Amino acid sequence: MDTAGILEVRQSFDDAISDVDNLNALQQLKVEYLGKKGKVTGLMKEMKNLSNEERPEYGAKVNEVRTYITEAIERRGEVLEEAALEEKLREETIDVTLPGRTFSLGSPHPLSRTIEDIEDFFLGLGYEIAEGYEVETDYYNFEALNLPKSHPARDMQDTFYISEETLLRTHTSPVQARTMEAQEGRGPVKIICPGKVYRRDSDDATHSHQFTQIEGLVVDRNIRMSDLKGTLELFAKEIFGAEREIRLRPSYFPFTEPSVEVDISCFKCKGAGCNVCKGTGWIEILGAGMVHPNVLEMAGFDPDEYSGFAFGMGPDRIAMLKYGIEDIRHFYTNDLRFINQFKATEDGGATNESI
Ligand code: PHE
């Protein structure tokens, strides 16, 4: 009986297993020796060439080598598994002594902040926020606001035309025309409309071809100029400080009659005269007036029954005054060195409010 084959298998296995250093290789080795086409199974197949007397002893020897190999693979497997686990734990160790990562927290843009402050104030008075379209028709931007095609006051607002009848809105007033129209002649209307507007201006420190406006409109029975004045006085105190006063100066807008320009007493010098108010003690902040009867009528309201007031302000200018910003372009160039100066504080203010 030739048992040299058995010995050979065992020796080659011993050599091979000493090189195995990972679980994959061990699995391969297992297949190579114990699998269906493996070397140990190959030894078993030799049995058919042996005599009946030889078979039991040969069989016992092959079994012995099979047990030997099986156990060796098991032991090796345990060792390798433990090593793999240790390696994994080592890799996943958290070094609690490392310094934490700092997150860079964003902050509201000073312009958005100003718009939100103004919205909050008017929402508190029961106004609703209405929105319109930045691409408008000539009709809503001008005609419905008492500015027919030949009206000289159209020159007050240099317009970006897209076609003869479509344009980039030059103010947020078309939203008041649209909102009134949708009411089909029934009041009350009490809205503010914040949004972007466009004018063909050359950009400089105080002009931008795109800026923001907030329009306000109240239409109901018995709305009077004193309602407008009271509202704007409250507004000035809320946004610019409790001691502010307002002053109305006669002005002209085609969509309001009478029209006024509204000044607030200077928050910096308290009226004495300084660089912010250019020595006058007053700062112009918005335009306003009583809605022109033609505008009411075109939007389907009966001007004998209803009256209203409207106002329009520029949050850019208000934010510039409030935060002491000297150039409107800072709002739109998004330089982080600028924006980072306006970190929100916990009380809801901003760090460099000048009021
Ligand atoms: N729409 C005007 C403008 O842009 C502002 C305004 C609005 C004036 C409402 C009066 C009433 O100049």
Side-chain angles (χ1 to χ4, degrees), residues 156-157 170-173 176 199 211 213-216 253 255-256 259-260 286-289 310-313:
M156 284 163 74
Q157 303 184 352
T170 55
H171 50 179
T172 40
S173 303
Q176 54 158 296
R199 289 194 197 173
F211 56 104
Q213 275 196 343
I214 297 181
E215 183 94 358
F253 298 104
F255 25 89
T256 46
S259 302
V260 289
L286 55 86
F311 54 85
M313 64 179 89

Side-chain angles (χ1 to χ4, degrees), residues 35-62:
K36 263 195 205 138
K37 291 180 184 155
K39 291 184 174 162
V40 175
T41 321
L43 290 174
M44 278 308 214
K45 284 179 188 156
E46 291 295 316
M47 294 250 271
K48 64 178 186 299
N49 303 324
L50 298 176
S51 63
N52 283 344
E53 297 79 51
E54 284 172 328
R55 266 187 206 137
E57 199 193 332
Y58 180 85
K61 286 216 153 78
V62 175

